[in-house]
Amino acid sequence: MSARVLVGVKRVIDYAVKIRVKPDHTGVVTDGVKHSMNPFCEIAVEEAVRLKEKKLVKEIVAVSCGPQQVQETIRTALAMGADRGIHVEVSGKDYETLGPLQVSKIMAALAKKEEADLIILGKQAIDDDCNQTGQMTAALLDWPQGTFASELTLEGGKLKVVREVDGGLETIMINMPAVVTADLRLNTPRYATLPNIMKAKKKKIANVKPADLGVDVTSRLEVLNVDEPAQRLAGVKVETVEDLVGKLKESGRI
Amino acid sequence: MAALFKARRALGLAVGHGVRCLAQLAELPELHQMMRQTCRDYAQKELAPIAAQLDKDHMFPAKQVQELGAMGVMAVEVPESLGGAGMDYLAYCLAVEELSRGCASTGVIVSVNNSLYLGPILKFGTEEQKKQWIPPFTTGEKVGCFALSEPGNGSDAGAASTLARQEGDEWILNGTKAWITNCWDASATVVFATTDKSLKHKGISAFLVPMPHPGLSLGKKEDKLGIRASSTANIILEDCRVPLGNMLGERGMGFKIAMQTLDSGRLGIAAQALGIAQAALDCAADYAHKRTAFGAPIGKLQAIQFKLADMALATESARLLTWKAAMLRDAKKPFTKEAAMAKLAASEAATFVSHQAIQVLGGMGYVTDMPAERHYRDARITEIYEGTSEIQRLVIANSILKEYQQ
């Protein structure tokens, strides 16, 4: 199989960090805060690497959009087994307002340029929790999509995707080229080995601007305010079921 | 004219190299940062959660050692052709520190395998010995150990009473080795024995012995204060026979091999001590934020602040010494004095920081619910093994006096 896979990797605030809202309420504090690869993107990279190990895929290209720092994230993907990287340079205000619509346009443009057969993305990012980029990318390319994948197999040139849905597991067969988004149980990402970290240094990361791909990254959305979730209030204990129903009616819940 | 160019070029190279070294001390190269982060992630996710249980059960972390082998951490400096990661000593020190931050026992298991077993074979082994004794010990499936100390001599390494005599095409070893780290879990050992008693320390030779092996038996597992997941015991040799080809290096070279191996090994221990110190500091600083007394988090109190500052200072100073020694070694420059300084500073930092961490935690520091007590117990051995603090001072003093030779 001579398939080429594009894997999107996003640099996000590390999952273990305690998030703080900026004093001006325009966003969260990112300066000096630990960042790492979005966990679902790690799973996506791992899946691509496994496909390559099974010789079902020939080349893995890791893509990230953002400022200089995202190169670290691309290198992590390279250390896990991706073959080369593409850094789409987006910085400053553009980066602050970068969202799924722009990223999916970039991914679609790259997929055409790189003649990709498969795009694997994380199902969502842990900072904005949008869960849109995969779906939008597929729509822009008019490709089939297998989202929330917990299992991915190639069967006779088609992709069998087992999806985690509210009701349980759904199995679908889709044609290639396609977009797949990785869910939690798709795999357990490997730790980069030291030799691979060394090899990653020699792998190429190409630089490209959104304009080169014909993509306009201006946002259609304006963030009005960012606030912490409301403090959880103490509960109230009631004696009887009647009291409970009364209280629920009182507060307009039922 | 040519001499001028040569001098200018030498200066340029020196400055370039010096600048590179200084830059490395200030900020690690990207490769090393990635590698450090990978080890940190592994230690925090896979080692830290089980460290307390490993300590309680005296259990060798076999699964984790295999995983570390797969990552290349069990053989950092070993070239890729022999199954290692082919990285430098600075990378190795970073790895051991991060792993020890999660679990000090795992840190020493990794360190002994890398520095004390693979180290001397890489440096003094023949091509054939390297091919036989290295590759199986890079994957985490097998670990090695280093048998120098005896019940009768630790610091006094030149007085090895274990004897080796030649009989035909075999060496026959007799004697007892003490305090051997990893031995209950090891598949091979580097043993030091006297081949020529009259030559005193120049009559000691090194041998490679597989484990298990007829004539080699293990004493009881020592019940230690700390690093309990790593096994420590005596190795008893009773007419233990090995082929002539199992001698490592030349006859009489044993003491030199041991000393050079320990020079490097002590950087591994320095790194382990740094990991313990850092873990204790992490614990104390976190507690200072959370614990309130007198109406505010205790981190607001100067008494606690001064402690944290001293703890951080001791750790960071020792860390820079360790990095410098590793960088000198990587540049193939003499590093004996710096390595001794690093080991001394780091081990004393570990005991100081872990002691103060318990103090910051108060009563909570004394119970097993918090890791502070384990760090305190783990730290203590770092001032003793691979060269006691007293020996380190002698090594440093020797070096200084040589520099000022009249």
Side-chain angles (χ1 to χ4, degrees):
Chain A
M1 244 254 188
S2 59
R4 176 174 293 135
V5 186
L6 235 59
V7 182
V9 294
K10 188 179 181 185
R11 181 175 183 264
V12 297
I13 296 178
D14 188 82
Y15 76 92
V17 168
K18 186 168 189 293
I19 308 292
R20 253 172 266 280
V21 174
K22 279 203 276 209
D24 61 5
H25 291 269
T26 56
V28 299
V29 177
T30 53
D31 274 342
V33 169
K34 182 176 178 215
H35 284 68
S36 39
M37 190 190 289
N38 181 39
F40 295 107
C41 298
E42 278 181 4
I43 297 174
V45 175
E46 174 67 25
E47 196 61 21
V49 175
R50 288 188 189 192
L51 288 174
K52 185 166 178 212
E53 283 170 349
K54 289 185 203 147
K55 303 224 194 298
L56 296 168
V57 141
K58 210 175 86 170
E59 196 189 28
I60 305 170
V61 184
V63 180
S64 195
C65 307
Q68 186 62 22
Q69 293 93 310
V70 306
Q71 295 220 0
E72 283 164 29
T73 314
I74 301 176
R75 285 235 184 267
T76 307
L78 296 174
M80 283 173 73
D83 297 294
R84 59 184 168 91
I86 300 177
H87 170 202
V88 182
E89 294 167 8
V90 180
S91 48
K93 202 80 185 67
D94 283 339
Y95 181 58
E96 281 172 38
T97 56
L98 193 68
L101 185 57
Q102 302 99 309
V103 174
S104 54
K105 286 180 182 172
I106 292 170
M107 289 302 295
L110 280 172
K112 289 198 191 119
K113 183 161 177 271
E114 299 288 333
E115 295 175 328
D117 304 286
L118 178 61
I119 301 178
I120 310 182
L121 305 171
K123 71 169 178 180
Q124 67 197 60
I126 59 170
D127 50 8
D128 53 23
D129 286 317
C130 286
N131 181 8
Q132 297 169 355
T133 309
Q135 293 88 332
M136 285 179 171
T137 309
L140 288 167
L141 289 165
D142 199 24
W143 284 9
Q145 56 184 264
T147 54
F148 310 106
S150 66
E151 209 182 294
L152 182 63
T153 29
L154 249 74
E155 271 181 27
K158 287 185 196 245
L159 277 172
K160 183 167 114 182
V161 185
V162 177
R163 308 178 58 229
E164 292 201 6
V165 296
D166 287 343
L169 298 172
E170 178 193 54
T171 308
I172 57 171
M173 289 292 280
I174 53 176
N175 292 324
M176 302 245 294
V179 176
V180 171
T181 72
D183 208 327
L184 188 64
R185 279 159 282 270
L186 181 58
N187 59 52
T188 307
R190 63 194 60 196
Y191 290 97
T193 67
L194 268 48
N196 279 347
I197 292 176
M198 294 219 343
K199 288 195 188 107
K201 197 160 190 216
K202 301 192 187 107
K203 294 179 183 172
K204 284 199 163 52
I205 300 179
N207 289 330
V208 97
K209 293 196 172 52
D212 301 338
L213 301 167
V215 174
D216 173 14
V217 289
T218 12
S219 177
R220 267 104 127 150
L221 303 171
E222 188 193 332
V223 172
L224 298 174
N225 185 66
V226 175
D227 233 328
E228 288 194 10
Q231 283 278 21
R232 196 180 164 164
L233 298 164
V236 175
K237 270 194 181 157
V238 293
E239 294 291 324
T240 67
V241 174
E242 284 80 22
D243 286 344
L244 176 63
V245 173
K247 279 246 184 265
L248 287 170
K249 279 195 176 148
E250 226 176 80
S251 58
R253 303 288 186 206
I254 53 170
Chain B
M1 209 55 189
L4 205 64
F5 279 135
K6 223 174 169 184
R8 189 141 53 112
R9 200 172 102 87
L11 185 66
L13 279 172
V15 168
H17 182 73
V19 167
R20 206 167 50 236
C21 280
L22 283 172
Q24 271 182 301
L25 270 178
E27 201 189 323
L28 295 167
E30 199 194 343
L31 201 67
H32 292 75
Q33 283 189 39
M34 282 183 72
M35 185 258 161
R36 191 186 198 193
Q37 190 60 50
T38 301
C39 290
R40 185 174 297 182
D41 286 341
Y42 185 85
Q44 295 313 311
K45 288 192 195 134
E46 310 287 341
L47 295 176
I50 60 168
Q53 199 60 42
L54 290 175
D55 170 78
K56 212 164 169 191
D57 297 339
H58 281 246
M59 200 167 74
F60 181 78
K63 173 167 175 273
Q64 287 70 26
V65 167
Q66 290 231 7
E67 286 170 356
L68 289 169
M71 282 166 70
V73 173
M74 293 304 287
V76 180
E77 241 197 340
V78 171
E80 282 193 68
S81 54
L82 288 166
M87 291 186 86
D88 59 21
Y89 221 65
L90 178 61
Y92 162 65
C93 290
L94 293 167
V96 173
E97 181 186 339
E98 293 302 331
L99 295 175
S100 303
R101 192 177 175 183
C103 172
S105 303
T106 308
V108 78
I109 293 167
V110 171
S111 177
V112 166
N113 195 60
N114 269 281
S115 294
L116 301 188
Y117 174 75
L118 293 170
I121 303 175
L122 260 180
K123 196 158 182 200
F124 299 98
T126 61
E127 286 312 308
E128 226 181 277
Q129 283 173 332
K130 286 187 212 174
K131 283 202 193 104
Q132 187 190 345
W133 298 89
I134 293 183
F137 294 81
T138 61
T139 60
E141 247 193 80
K142 296 191 177 181
V143 296
C145 61
F146 179 84
L148 175 67
S149 290
E150 297 176 354
N153 54 270
S155 295
D156 192 8
S161 66
T162 302
L163 298 171
R165 69 172 193 280
Q166 188 179 345
E167 244 180 48
D169 57 356
E170 283 180 326
W171 284 106
I172 306 176
L173 302 158
N174 273 286
T176 309
K177 293 296 186 182
W179 311 120
I180 312 306
T181 304
N182 279 357
C183 74
W184 271 89
D185 311 290
S187 302
T189 177
V190 178
V191 180
F192 295 84
T194 299
T195 36
D196 299 282
K197 209 161 172 117
S198 56
L199 297 174
K200 304 251 183 90
H201 69 265
K202 291 216 173 103
I204 300 174
S205 307
F207 300 89
L208 296 163
V209 184
M211 291 162 76
H213 195 67
L216 187 152
S217 55
L218 300 174
K220 75 167 187 7
K221 250 196 227 186
E222 301 291 351
D223 188 9
K224 307 190 295 289
L225 177 65
I227 54 159
R228 286 154 76 84
S230 140
S231 58
T232 308
N234 286 1
I235 290 181
I236 302 137
L237 302 156
E238 293 167 299
D239 282 345
C240 179
R241 291 165 182 270
V242 291
L244 289 182
N246 282 33
M247 177 179 276
L248 183 66
E250 308 278 311
R251 184 170 178 153
M253 221 187 197
F255 189 75
K256 180 174 150 197
I257 294 175
M259 291 304 110
Q260 286 193 23
T261 302
L262 288 170
D263 264 354
S264 297
R266 59 192 46 141
L267 283 178
I269 297 306
Q272 184 206 18
L274 288 175
I276 298 171
Q278 190 62 50
L281 178 58
D282 293 344
C283 186
D286 186 65
Y287 195 77
H289 270 302
K290 295 186 174 139
R291 169 73 176 177
T292 54
F294 303 101
I298 59 173
K300 297 273 183 204
L301 300 166
Q302 281 190 339
I304 301 295
Q305 289 180 356
F306 287 171
K307 281 192 203 298
L308 293 175
D310 289 337
M311 288 156 78
L313 174 60
T315 310
E316 190 63 23
S317 313
R319 184 173 289 128
L320 289 175
L321 274 170
T322 308
W323 288 7
K324 182 174 178 182
M327 278 156 42
L328 285 169
R329 185 186 183 284
D330 286 333
K332 305 223 193 304
K333 298 252 157 66
F335 69 102
T336 302
K337 176 183 78 172
E338 288 78 6
M341 287 175 149
K343 201 262 185 185
L344 179 59
S347 53
E348 292 192 342
T351 44
F352 169 72
V353 175
S354 55
H355 181 110
Q356 291 302 324
I358 294 188
Q359 200 63 18
V360 170
L361 265 60
M364 282 311 289
Y366 205 63
V367 294
T368 53
D369 303 54
M370 295 290 272
E373 59 83 26
R374 190 182 78 245
H375 300 321
Y376 185 73
R377 290 185 290 107
D378 285 340
R380 195 59 190 84
I381 189 64
T382 61
E383 286 196 53
I384 297 170
Y385 61 11
E386 289 200 42
T388 58
S389 297
E390 290 70 30
I391 291 291
Q392 303 307 334
R393 289 186 160 89
L394 291 180
V395 171
I396 298 167
N398 246 325
S399 217
I400 303 286
L401 288 168
K402 256 199 208 135
E403 284 170 30
Y404 285 84
Q405 194 92 57
Q406 297 300 317

